[in-house]
Amino acid sequence: MRIGELSARAGVSVRALRYYEEQDLLTSTRSGSGQRHYTESAVERVVFLQRMYAAGLSSRTIAELLPCVESPSEETSDAALARMAEERDRLSAHIADLIRTRDSLDALMAVNRAHRETLRTA
Amino acid sequence: MRIGELSARAGVSVRALRYYEEQDLLTSTRSGSGQRHYTESAVERVVFLQRMYAAGLSSRTIAELLPCVESPSEETSDAALARMAEERDRLSAHIADLIRTRDSLDALMAVNRAHRETLRTA
DNA sequence: CTTGACCCTCACGTAGACGTCAGGTTTTAG
DNA sequence: CTAAAACCTGACGTCTACGTGAGGGTCAAG
C-alpha cells in the first residue's frame, strides 16, 4: 500500500510516517518513481510506535528496542532486551505515580463535593 | 521564605517557580526591593503542580482546576469541578492505556526470553 | 565597605514530534 | 489527454516548560 492508505489505516499523518522513516523506525520499499510502498505489517508496526510514544519513549529509545520487535526469531542483543526491561520498569513507576495523582484528584473532588453538600443543606 | 529555599524544598528550579507565577499557578508577596516571599503552603502547592504536570496537564488546564484546590472551603465553580472530573477521566484512560502498553512489552520480552532458551538448549 | 551568595527582569535558546507551505513529479479517474 | 488527487524533497514554523546568559540590584558576613 502507499503512504496515504497506511496513514488512514494506522490513524497517523503522512508527515508522521515520513518522520518515522527518517528516525529509522519504519522502512519502505520505493517504486521506480520514488514513491513509498508498505506491507500489511507496517500497520501494526505504526500502532506499536504510537504505543511507545504514548508511553513517553523518545524516537531514539524506541529504535533501541526495535531489535526485540523485529526479530524475535533471531538472537536479540542483550543490550536491547536490557533496555526493554529498563523502560518497562520506568513505565511501571510512571503508572504508579499517575495512579497516586488520580487518587489525589479524587480526594480533592470529594472534599469539594462534600462542602457543596454542606452549603446546600445549611 | 525566599525563592531559593522554596526551590530547594520543593525540588524544582528557581526558573520554574518564576514560570509558575507567570502562568498564575503560584503567587508570592514582594519585599520592598522586589524579592519574592512565600509561605509554607507554597511547598505543597508546588508539589501539586508537579503532580499535575506529570499527569500531562498543561499550565492552562491546571489553572482552570485551581479554584478547587485553593478554596475547598468556598463555593467552587461548577466549571472548575466539571473540568477536574474531565481531567480525572482522561487520566484514568491514559493509565489504562499505559497498562496495556506495559503488558505488550511484557509479552514481547517473554517471547524473546523463550526464544533464547530455545537456542540455549538446542 | 566590600565580597560573594542570592535575587531581579528581560529575552533568546532548546528539544521533540510533527504541521505546513513551496515547488515539482506521478498516478488515477473520466 | 487533462485535471484532480496523491506523492516527493527540502526546509522553516509551532508549542511547551523551562535552560541559560546578560546586565544589574540586594543582603548577611567579615
Side-chain angles (χ1 to χ4, degrees), chain B residues 74-85:
Chain B
E74 286 179 21
E75 191 181 337
T76 305
S77 81
D78 282 332
L81 203 57
R83 196 81 173 82
M84 184 122 107

Side-chain angles (χ1 to χ4, degrees), chain A residues 33-46:
Chain A
S33 60
Q35 300 205 345
R36 294 172 176 81
H37 285 270
Y38 302 92
T39 63
E40 285 295 317
S41 65
V43 178
E44 56 178 312
R45 162 64 67 97
V46 173

Side-chain angles (χ1 to χ4, degrees), chain B:
Chain B
M1 78 189 84
R2 290 189 301 170
I3 201 170
E5 187 179 343
L6 178 57
S7 165
R9 289 179 56 183
V12 306
S13 71
V14 166
R15 175 69 174 94
L17 295 177
R18 296 203 185 102
Y19 176 74
Y20 298 161
E21 183 169 322
E22 191 181 317
Q23 302 297 309
D24 295 314
L25 302 178
L26 183 64
T27 56
S28 63
T29 58
R30 297 300 186 102
S31 69
S33 60
Q35 299 203 345
R36 293 174 177 81
H37 285 270
Y38 302 92
T39 62
E40 285 295 317
S41 66
V43 177
E44 56 177 314
R45 163 63 67 97
V46 172
V47 169
F48 173 78
L49 294 178
Q50 290 292 104
R51 271 191 202 285
M52 293 306 111
Y53 279 125
L57 308 200
S58 67
S59 295
R60 220 177 69 79
T61 303
I62 298 174
E64 290 174 22
L65 304 184
L66 280 185
C68 290
V69 183
E70 287 186 312
S71 49
S73 54
E74 286 179 21
E75 191 181 337
T76 305
S77 81
D78 282 332
L81 203 57
R83 196 81 173 82
M84 184 122 107
E86 185 184 324
E87 289 304 326
R88 190 225 105 101
D89 289 347
R90 208 186 50 73
L91 178 54
S92 220
H94 189 205
I95 289 172
D97 199 52
L98 291 186
I99 287 176
R100 278 193 294 274
T101 299
R102 184 179 58 182
D103 289 347
S104 68
L105 276 184
D106 283 342
L108 220 42
M109 290 171 68
V111 170
N112 278 278
R113 289 209 176 96
H115 182 68
R116 289 179 161 227
E117 199 62 17
T118 303
L119 285 182
R120 203 171 58 72
T121 60

